[in-house]
């Protein structure tokens, strides 16, 4: 999913028909009566080899008040602001109307990229309307028929260069992970700077207060808040200075149970959660303290750990809680029980509405990021391994003793370690967990994903070849000394 395409236009120009055509299913209701679509509907669009998020919007109407039409218009304008590309659809059989001209002017000012499409242009009936569309000043109109699938090749050619542009931006914004390290390497380039801000994703259900929290961090109402359902945007990010730390916060809509998703993270919006996790260095899982640790929360936290991202759990709406000590105890107990793979990860309480707890959230994010980048010298690791195996020796299945000979850190972001050992196929999972928990406790790495790999060394001496080469070199030197002519 490389970009988001919002389909906008007056009522009854064929937006929902085009939406269904792009997603390949009849997801949106279609009828000749105008105004059938009222909410934003999103789906996974495909056109040739392009994959993108497509958003169907309500018809644009000239209404500024709080009427239903006015609220529908504001929701559509939000789609325009957050979409990467707007597909402005007019009815070629009706021609350009005053409303089309009015909304074309809005799109010129607010949309990042606009593609103009003259729908219902099949046959000769739409020729005049398609020609009129040039007057809107939005470039050459695409003549399409959403109902019959005509003009989709032209739409593909218009979208292709934009898709490549957004894909390049996505690659540039993606954080560097699994960074190889050498023993003694103390590079500090990972620390946040204006050139390389700390990348944070705030994830939560639609009513968890995510947008309110981000607005509080920004110090302004940059993101729309309210009861309306949000939309997904594939590459939106907001840069700011969070209590002295340069950050880029990736915004997503909430995790919704109705989403069609992958098997691995059932009932989780792929466009929302998974994209944000992959773009982030630290993932803030925002909970509603009244209904914490819903299935979606657990899945996104687990996916963040699987992807190797640092995780901070924040319980929002803390200002509404009466018995705070007892509630905090319940939250910690549930966290340890439901997410053992993130044992020790920061759990902080915040109020997005009042701003209380933002300092705790800031400190937890920095701590999680520092641990995610932690490097441990090989000498300390091997002293630790010796103490761990002495305190609790590995088992000896079938009388074969498992020997853990050597450990070293090979990567950061997240920390990854390799243990050279014998009979690694016989090493039980419980002993691996024992070592991982020991790494967390003894090297102060709570919560961060830890990758521990075992390589079977067998009984081979790793210095045997080196010693043999040294011996051969010494023997050759002595032989040359004996062969050296006298007096030379």
């Amino acid at each position: 999913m490389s970009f988001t395409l919002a389909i906008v236009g007056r009522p009854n120009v064929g937006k929902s028909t085009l939406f269904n055509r792009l997603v390949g299913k009849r997801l949106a209701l279609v009828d000749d009566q105008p105004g059938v679509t009222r909410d934003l509907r999103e789906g996974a669009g495909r056109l040739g080899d392009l994959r993108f998020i497509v958003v169907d919007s309500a018809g644009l109407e000239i209404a500024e008040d709080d009427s239903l039409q006015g609220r529908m218009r504001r929701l559509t304008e939000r789609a325009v602001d957050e979409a990467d590309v707007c597909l402005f659809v007019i009815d070629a059989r009706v021609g350009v109307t005053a409303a089309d001209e009015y909304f074309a002017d809005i799109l010129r000012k607010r949309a990042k990229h606009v593609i103009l499409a003259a729908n219902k242009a099949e046959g000769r009936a739409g020729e005049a309307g398609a020609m009129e569309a040039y007057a809107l000043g939005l470039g050459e109109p695409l003549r399409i028929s959403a109902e019959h699938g005509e003009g989709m090749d032209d739409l593909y050619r218009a979208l292709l260069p934009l898709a490549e542009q957004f894909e390049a931006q996505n690659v540039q914004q993606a954080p560097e992970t699994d960074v190889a390290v050498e023993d003694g390497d103390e590079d500090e380039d990972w620390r946040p700077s204006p050139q390389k801000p700390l990348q944070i994703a705030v994830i939560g259900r639609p009513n968890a207060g995510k947008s309110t929290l981000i607005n509080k961090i920004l110090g302004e109402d940059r993101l729309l808040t309210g009861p309306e359902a949000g939309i997904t945007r594939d590459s939106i990010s907001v840069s700011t200075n969070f209590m002295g730390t340069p950050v880029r916060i990736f915004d997503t809509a909430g995790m919704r149970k109705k989403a069609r998703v992958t098997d691995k993270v059932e009932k989780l919006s792929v466009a929302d959660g998974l994209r944000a996790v992959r773009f982030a260095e630290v993932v803030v899982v925002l909970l509603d303290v009244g209904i914490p640790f819903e299935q979606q929360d657990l899945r996104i936290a687990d996916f963040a750990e699987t992807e190797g991202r640092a995780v901070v759990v924040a319980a929002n709406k803390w200002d509404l809680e009466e018995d705070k000590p007892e509630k905090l105890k319940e939250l910690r107990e549930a966290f340890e029980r439901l997410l053992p793979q993130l044992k020790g990860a920061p759990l902080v309480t915040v109020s997005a509405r009042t701003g209380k707890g933002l300092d705790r959230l800031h400190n937890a994010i920095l701590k999680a990021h520092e641990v995610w980048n932690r490097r441990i010298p090989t000498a300390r690791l091997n002293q630790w391994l010796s103490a761990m195996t002495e305190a609790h020796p590995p088992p000896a299945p079938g009388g074969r003793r498992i020997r853990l000979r050597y450990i070293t850190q090979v990567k950061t972001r997240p920390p990854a370690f390799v243990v050279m050992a014998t009979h690694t196929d016989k090493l039980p999972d419980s002993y691996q967990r024992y070592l991982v928990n020991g790494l967390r406790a003894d090297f102060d790495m709570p919560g961060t994903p830890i990758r521990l790999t075992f390589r079977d060394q067998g009984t081979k001496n790793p210095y045997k070849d080196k010693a043999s080469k040294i011996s051969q070199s010494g023997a050759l030197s002595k032989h040359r000394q004996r062969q050296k002519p006298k007096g030379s």
Side-chain angles (χ1 to χ4, degrees):
M1 303 291 182
S2 58
F3 63 96
T4 299
L5 176 71
I7 304 175
V8 297
R10 290 186 297 103
N12 208 32
V13 295
K15 298 185 299 298
S16 294
T17 304
L18 180 57
F19 173 85
N20 288 342
R21 169 75 58 182
L22 293 176
V23 299
K25 302 175 183 177
R26 290 183 175 271
L27 295 183
L29 293 176
V30 176
D31 192 82
D32 290 338
Q33 177 185 349
V36 172
T37 302
R38 290 183 175 178
D39 295 314
L40 297 173
R41 179 183 294 273
E42 64 182 53
R46 58 185 301 169
L47 195 58
D49 57 354
L50 298 183
R51 302 293 181 270
F52 48 91
I53 299 299
V54 58
V55 179
D56 183 24
S57 65
L60 284 166
E61 297 194 51
I62 303 176
E64 304 286 349
D65 55 15
D66 286 330
S67 65
L68 176 62
Q69 288 76 19
R71 286 183 281 124
M72 288 163 54
R73 171 186 166 154
R74 284 195 294 274
L75 203 57
T76 298
E77 287 177 344
R78 182 184 176 189
V80 170
D81 291 340
E82 296 190 346
D84 295 314
V85 184
C86 286
L87 183 59
F88 183 37
V89 181
I90 69 165
D91 187 335
R93 296 185 179 180
V94 174
V96 175
T97 67
D100 289 328
E101 294 174 348
Y102 177 76
F103 294 123
D105 187 56
I106 292 177
L107 290 174
R108 274 194 295 270
K109 296 175 181 177
R110 302 180 67 153
K112 298 170 182 65
H113 299 277
V114 181
I115 296 175
L116 177 60
N119 191 31
K120 307 179 186 178
E122 67 274 17
R124 304 182 65 177
E127 288 184 3
M131 293 300 294
E132 284 182 25
Y134 279 95
L136 293 174
L138 295 174
E140 181 179 357
L142 304 179
R143 295 185 56 175
I144 67 172
S145 171
E147 185 175 356
H148 298 98
E150 296 178 10
M152 295 300 107
D153 290 344
D154 293 334
L155 180 58
Y156 171 85
R157 284 189 287 271
L159 289 174
L160 182 59
L162 295 174
E164 293 172 347
Q165 175 186 335
F166 290 120
E167 187 65 32
Q169 290 177 1
N170 288 345
V171 171
Q172 186 177 7
Q173 287 184 335
E176 189 178 10
T177 58
D178 294 320
V179 179
V181 299
E182 296 180 4
D183 191 28
D185 188 359
E186 296 295 335
D187 186 13
E188 298 294 328
D189 283 349
W190 59 267
R191 298 195 182 279
S193 66
Q195 293 73 34
K196 294 179 65 176
L198 174 57
Q199 302 193 158
I200 304 169
V202 182
I203 307 296
R205 294 189 303 278
N207 294 324
K210 174 183 62 63
S211 295
T212 305
L213 177 66
I214 296 176
N215 281 341
K216 188 64 69 172
I217 292 173
L218 297 175
E220 59 179 308
D221 292 336
R222 184 91 62 89
L223 303 179
L224 182 66
T225 60
E228 292 89 355
I231 70 162
T232 305
R233 181 170 181 233
D234 190 69
S235 59
I236 186 173
S237 64
V238 184
S239 296
T240 189
N241 191 291
F242 184 17
M243 294 187 173
T245 304
V247 298
R248 178 184 293 125
I249 304 178
F250 288 85
D251 183 29
T252 66
M255 296 175 287
R256 282 162 278 187
K257 291 183 179 180
K258 65 182 181 180
R260 296 176 178 270
V261 295
T262 63
D263 292 336
K264 186 175 183 181
V265 277
E266 183 185 2
K267 294 181 181 178
L268 175 66
S269 171
V270 174
D272 294 344
L274 305 195
R275 179 202 56 79
V277 167
R278 293 189 176 111
F279 276 78
E281 297 171 288
V282 179
V283 176
V284 176
V285 181
L286 192 66
L287 311 176
D288 183 335
V289 72
I291 45 172
F293 297 111
E294 290 280 288
Q295 284 299 104
Q296 301 99 306
D297 300 326
L298 299 177
R299 287 191 176 99
I300 193 66
D302 180 69
F303 184 77
E305 192 276 340
T306 302
E307 286 289 300
R309 300 308 193 261
V311 177
V312 173
V313 178
N316 188 29
K317 305 181 183 178
W318 193 242
D319 55 312
L320 303 179
E321 191 60 39
E322 295 181 359
D323 190 353
K324 290 181 171 58
E326 183 62 27
K327 189 64 177 183
L328 185 59
K329 180 181 177 181
E330 292 178 8
L331 287 173
R332 294 192 185 281
E333 186 277 329
F335 185 21
E336 293 179 5
R337 174 170 49 86
L338 298 172
L339 289 169
Q341 68 274 38
L342 290 171
K343 184 178 181 180
L347 172 63
V348 298
T349 56
V350 298
S351 171
R353 186 177 63 86
T354 66
K356 288 186 177 180
L358 287 188
D359 54 341
R360 293 192 294 268
L361 178 61
H362 174 259
N363 292 336
I365 289 172
L366 291 187
K367 173 67 174 177
H369 187 244
E370 187 271 329
V371 171
W372 195 57
N373 285 277
R374 180 155 299 169
R375 303 178 182 185
I376 306 171
T378 300
R380 287 185 60 197
L381 282 170
N382 282 283
Q383 291 171 1
W384 169 84
L385 182 64
S386 177
M388 291 290 285
T389 54
E390 185 176 342
H392 185 188
R400 290 185 172 184
R401 185 178 176 185
I402 298 175
R403 297 180 183 272
L404 307 184
R405 299 182 182 276
Y406 181 82
I407 184 173
T408 186
Q409 184 174 2
V410 293
K411 291 180 181 179
T412 61
R413 305 166 71 90
F417 305 87
V418 170
V419 178
M420 305 302 292
T422 61
H423 310 300
T424 56
D425 57 324
K426 304 295 184 182
L427 193 67
D429 292 342
S430 59
Y431 199 83
Q432 297 183 33
R433 288 194 297 270
Y434 163 70
L435 294 178
V436 169
N437 290 335
L439 285 168
R440 291 194 193 283
D442 297 332
F443 295 106
D444 190 24
M445 295 193 293
T448 197
I450 291 179
R451 305 290 184 252
L452 188 61
T453 305
F454 294 86
R455 291 181 184 167
D456 200 330
Q457 192 180 46
T459 58
K460 181 180 177 181
N461 183 346
Y463 300 102
K464 182 178 179 180
D465 293 340
K466 185 181 292 186
S468 176
K469 289 180 180 178
I470 293 174
S471 176
Q472 292 175 8
S473 176
L476 181 60
S477 177
K478 290 180 181 179
H479 175 72
R480 286 175 175 169
Q481 287 289 338
R482 287 195 297 269
Q483 296 296 323
K484 194 173 183 181
K486 294 181 179 181
S488 61

